[in-house]
Amino acid sequence: MLPVSPAAADPLPWGPYTCAQGFVWRQATADDLVCVYPSRRTDVAAENSGSPSHKLLNTMYCVPGYEWRLANPSDRACVTSIQRRMARMENESAVYSLADPAATPLGGVRVMTKRGTGGVNHLYATGTGVTPQWSAAFYAVGVNGPNWPTGRPWIGEARSDAQGGFAGWTYINQVTCLPTETKPAPVVVLDFGTGVVTTAGTTDAYMC
């Protein structure tokens, strides 16, 4: 069993997907690195163990009252609707349980900022590599403000196309600049279909 990420001299002892202190990898599937509370990891392991008894004989399909968990597209564990909803909620909040989202690898999505007027700027995204026809959320990292105690403000969301990408430059949202911000902020994209966070570039949208 993997230990809870410790507070250590190395801020990322388990690599770019090191969990924030108090969290561990969920491991709904072998490659699932969404960070959750240890009790949830235990629950997910129990769901995996119990899944075969919730499948129709000699098939991958679930018996009535159960459905695929789909923590990621390859996840075919049969669970209750509440358990499936829990996995989805964990995916959608995964950016907050990482030790440093900006340390994640550069993914296939890139962002671009267009400067506006009156301190209002605009963020766009293009590229591929997210779950097809699922939503993805964009966050800045290291931007502090009274509404963002985590320093990871949500910028906006967009739904990917059938190829798992954003054709052309897809509009994400407007951003109001802050006088306290003096340097570009890293932007990360959170794939709701998998809970995977990747880096998408930087933005100067928060700079006035």
Side-chain angles (χ1 to χ4, degrees), residues 156-182:
E157 296 177 12
R159 187 173 178 85
S160 64
D161 59 24
Q163 287 70 50
F166 305 103
W169 286 100
T170 299
Y171 184 65
I172 303 303
N173 211 346
Q174 67 180 36
V175 175
T176 301
C177 72
L178 297 170
T180 54
E181 295 302 311
T182 59

Short mmCIF file of all heavy atoms in Angstrom, two decimals, residues 156-182:
data_model
loop_
_atom_site.label_atom_id
_atom_site.label_comp_id
_atom_site.label_asym_id
_atom_site.label_seq_id
_atom_site.Cartn_x
_atom_site.Cartn_y
_atom_site.Cartn_z
N GLY A 156 -12.58 28.56 -16.06
CA GLY A 156 -13.75 28.23 -16.86
C GLY A 156 -13.71 26.78 -17.28
O GLY A 156 -12.79 26.03 -16.94
N GLU A 157 -14.73 26.38 -18.03
CA GLU A 157 -14.84 25.01 -18.52
C GLU A 157 -15.21 25.00 -19.99
O GLU A 157 -15.78 25.96 -20.50
CB GLU A 157 -15.92 24.23 -17.74
CG GLU A 157 -15.61 24.05 -16.27
CD GLU A 157 -16.74 23.34 -15.52
OE1 GLU A 157 -17.65 22.79 -16.19
OE2 GLU A 157 -16.72 23.36 -14.28
N ALA A 158 -14.89 23.88 -20.65
CA ALA A 158 -15.31 23.68 -22.04
C ALA A 158 -15.49 22.19 -22.26
O ALA A 158 -14.86 21.37 -21.58
CB ALA A 158 -14.26 24.24 -23.00
N ARG A 159 -16.35 21.83 -23.20
CA ARG A 159 -16.59 20.43 -23.53
C ARG A 159 -15.77 20.07 -24.76
O ARG A 159 -15.80 20.77 -25.77
CB ARG A 159 -18.08 20.19 -23.78
CG ARG A 159 -18.45 18.72 -23.95
CD ARG A 159 -19.95 18.54 -24.02
NE ARG A 159 -20.33 17.14 -24.23
CZ ARG A 159 -20.46 16.25 -23.26
NH1 ARG A 159 -20.23 16.61 -22.01
NH2 ARG A 159 -20.82 15.00 -23.53
N SER A 160 -15.07 18.94 -24.68
CA SER A 160 -14.23 18.52 -25.79
C SER A 160 -15.08 17.93 -26.92
O SER A 160 -16.24 17.54 -26.72
CB SER A 160 -13.23 17.46 -25.32
OG SER A 160 -13.90 16.30 -24.87
N ASP A 161 -14.49 17.84 -28.10
CA ASP A 161 -15.20 17.27 -29.24
C ASP A 161 -15.04 15.75 -29.29
O ASP A 161 -14.46 15.15 -28.37
CB ASP A 161 -14.73 17.93 -30.54
CG ASP A 161 -13.23 17.76 -30.80
OD1 ASP A 161 -12.63 16.79 -30.27
OD2 ASP A 161 -12.65 18.60 -31.51
N ALA A 162 -15.51 15.13 -30.35
CA ALA A 162 -15.49 13.67 -30.45
C ALA A 162 -14.08 13.11 -30.55
O ALA A 162 -13.86 11.92 -30.31
CB ALA A 162 -16.32 13.21 -31.65
N GLN A 163 -13.11 13.95 -30.88
CA GLN A 163 -11.71 13.52 -30.95
C GLN A 163 -10.95 13.80 -29.65
O GLN A 163 -9.75 13.55 -29.56
CB GLN A 163 -10.99 14.22 -32.11
CG GLN A 163 -11.40 13.70 -33.49
CD GLN A 163 -12.82 14.09 -33.87
OE1 GLN A 163 -13.20 15.27 -33.77
NE2 GLN A 163 -13.59 13.12 -34.31
N GLY A 164 -11.64 14.32 -28.65
CA GLY A 164 -10.97 14.60 -27.38
C GLY A 164 -10.15 15.87 -27.41
O GLY A 164 -9.06 15.93 -26.83
N GLY A 165 -10.66 16.88 -28.09
CA GLY A 165 -9.90 18.11 -28.18
C GLY A 165 -10.79 19.33 -28.33
O GLY A 165 -12.01 19.26 -28.22
N PHE A 166 -10.12 20.46 -28.60
CA PHE A 166 -10.79 21.74 -28.80
C PHE A 166 -10.35 22.27 -30.15
O PHE A 166 -9.18 22.61 -30.34
CB PHE A 166 -10.44 22.71 -27.68
CG PHE A 166 -10.72 22.16 -26.31
CD1 PHE A 166 -9.70 21.69 -25.50
CD2 PHE A 166 -12.02 22.09 -25.82
CE1 PHE A 166 -9.95 21.17 -24.24
CE2 PHE A 166 -12.29 21.57 -24.56
CZ PHE A 166 -11.25 21.11 -23.77
N ALA A 167 -11.30 22.30 -31.09
CA ALA A 167 -10.96 22.73 -32.45
C ALA A 167 -10.76 24.23 -32.48
O ALA A 167 -11.52 24.99 -31.86
CB ALA A 167 -12.07 22.31 -33.41
N GLY A 168 -9.75 24.66 -33.24
CA GLY A 168 -9.47 26.09 -33.30
C GLY A 168 -9.11 26.60 -31.91
O GLY A 168 -8.58 25.88 -31.08
N TRP A 169 -9.42 27.86 -31.66
CA TRP A 169 -9.22 28.41 -30.32
C TRP A 169 -10.59 28.55 -29.66
O TRP A 169 -11.39 29.41 -30.02
CB TRP A 169 -8.51 29.77 -30.40
CG TRP A 169 -7.05 29.62 -30.71
CD1 TRP A 169 -6.45 29.79 -31.92
CD2 TRP A 169 -6.03 29.25 -29.79
NE1 TRP A 169 -5.10 29.54 -31.82
CE2 TRP A 169 -4.81 29.21 -30.51
CE3 TRP A 169 -6.00 28.94 -28.43
CZ2 TRP A 169 -3.60 28.88 -29.94
CZ3 TRP A 169 -4.79 28.62 -27.84
CH2 TRP A 169 -3.61 28.59 -28.59
N THR A 170 -10.86 27.67 -28.70
CA THR A 170 -12.14 27.63 -28.00
C THR A 170 -12.13 28.63 -26.85
O THR A 170 -11.20 28.64 -26.04
CB THR A 170 -12.40 26.22 -27.46
OG1 THR A 170 -12.46 25.30 -28.56
CG2 THR A 170 -13.71 26.16 -26.68
N TYR A 171 -13.18 29.44 -26.79
CA TYR A 171 -13.26 30.44 -25.72
C TYR A 171 -13.55 29.75 -24.39
O TYR A 171 -14.48 28.93 -24.27
CB TYR A 171 -14.34 31.46 -26.03
CG TYR A 171 -14.43 32.59 -25.03
CD1 TYR A 171 -13.37 33.50 -24.89
CD2 TYR A 171 -15.55 32.76 -24.22
CE1 TYR A 171 -13.44 34.54 -23.98
CE2 TYR A 171 -15.63 33.81 -23.31
CZ TYR A 171 -14.57 34.70 -23.20
OH TYR A 171 -14.63 35.73 -22.29
N ILE A 172 -12.77 30.09 -23.35
CA ILE A 172 -12.95 29.50 -22.03
C ILE A 172 -13.69 30.45 -21.10
O ILE A 172 -14.74 30.10 -20.56
CB ILE A 172 -11.59 29.10 -21.41
CG1 ILE A 172 -10.84 28.14 -22.34
CG2 ILE A 172 -11.80 28.47 -20.03
CD1 ILE A 172 -11.59 26.88 -22.69
N ASN A 173 -13.16 31.64 -20.90
CA ASN A 173 -13.86 32.59 -20.04
C ASN A 173 -13.08 33.90 -19.99
O ASN A 173 -11.94 33.99 -20.45
CB ASN A 173 -14.01 32.03 -18.62
CG ASN A 173 -15.27 32.53 -17.94
OD1 ASN A 173 -15.91 33.48 -18.38
ND2 ASN A 173 -15.64 31.89 -16.83
N GLN A 174 -13.71 34.90 -19.38
CA GLN A 174 -13.02 36.16 -19.13
C GLN A 174 -12.39 36.15 -17.75
O GLN A 174 -12.84 35.43 -16.85
CB GLN A 174 -13.98 37.35 -19.26
CG GLN A 174 -15.05 37.41 -18.19
CD GLN A 174 -15.97 38.60 -18.38
OE1 GLN A 174 -16.28 38.98 -19.51
NE2 GLN A 174 -16.41 39.19 -17.28
N VAL A 175 -11.33 36.91 -17.60
CA VAL A 175 -10.59 37.00 -16.34
C VAL A 175 -10.37 38.46 -16.02
O VAL A 175 -9.91 39.23 -16.88
CB VAL A 175 -9.22 36.28 -16.45
CG1 VAL A 175 -8.41 36.49 -15.18
CG2 VAL A 175 -9.42 34.80 -16.73
N THR A 176 -10.69 38.85 -14.81
CA THR A 176 -10.44 40.22 -14.36
C THR A 176 -9.08 40.30 -13.70
O THR A 176 -8.74 39.48 -12.84
CB THR A 176 -11.53 40.68 -13.37
OG1 THR A 176 -12.80 40.59 -14.00
CG2 THR A 176 -11.28 42.11 -12.92
N CYS A 177 -8.28 41.26 -14.11
CA CYS A 177 -6.91 41.36 -13.59
C CYS A 177 -6.90 41.79 -12.12
O CYS A 177 -7.88 42.35 -11.60
CB CYS A 177 -6.08 42.32 -14.43
SG CYS A 177 -6.50 44.07 -14.22
N LEU A 178 -5.79 41.51 -11.46
CA LEU A 178 -5.60 41.84 -10.05
C LEU A 178 -4.34 42.68 -9.89
O LEU A 178 -3.27 42.28 -10.37
CB LEU A 178 -5.46 40.56 -9.22
CG LEU A 178 -6.67 39.61 -9.20
CD1 LEU A 178 -6.28 38.30 -8.55
CD2 LEU A 178 -7.83 40.26 -8.47
N PRO A 179 -4.40 43.81 -9.21
CA PRO A 179 -3.20 44.65 -9.04
C PRO A 179 -2.07 43.94 -8.33
O PRO A 179 -0.90 44.31 -8.50
CB PRO A 179 -3.72 45.83 -8.20
CG PRO A 179 -5.19 45.85 -8.44
CD PRO A 179 -5.61 44.43 -8.63
N THR A 180 -2.38 42.90 -7.56
CA THR A 180 -1.34 42.20 -6.80
C THR A 180 -0.55 41.21 -7.64
O THR A 180 0.51 40.74 -7.21
CB THR A 180 -1.98 41.43 -5.64
OG1 THR A 180 -3.01 40.57 -6.14
CG2 THR A 180 -2.58 42.39 -4.61
N GLU A 181 -1.04 40.88 -8.84
CA GLU A 181 -0.37 39.88 -9.66
C GLU A 181 0.63 40.55 -10.60
O GLU A 181 0.27 41.43 -11.37
CB GLU A 181 -1.39 39.07 -10.46
CG GLU A 181 -2.31 38.22 -9.60
CD GLU A 181 -1.54 37.24 -8.71
OE1 GLU A 181 -0.66 36.53 -9.22
OE2 GLU A 181 -1.82 37.21 -7.49
N THR A 182 1.87 40.11 -10.51
CA THR A 182 2.95 40.77 -11.26
C THR A 182 3.66 39.85 -12.24
O THR A 182 4.61 40.26 -12.90
CB THR A 182 3.98 41.35 -10.30
OG1 THR A 182 4.53 40.27 -9.49
CG2 THR A 182 3.35 42.39 -9.37
#
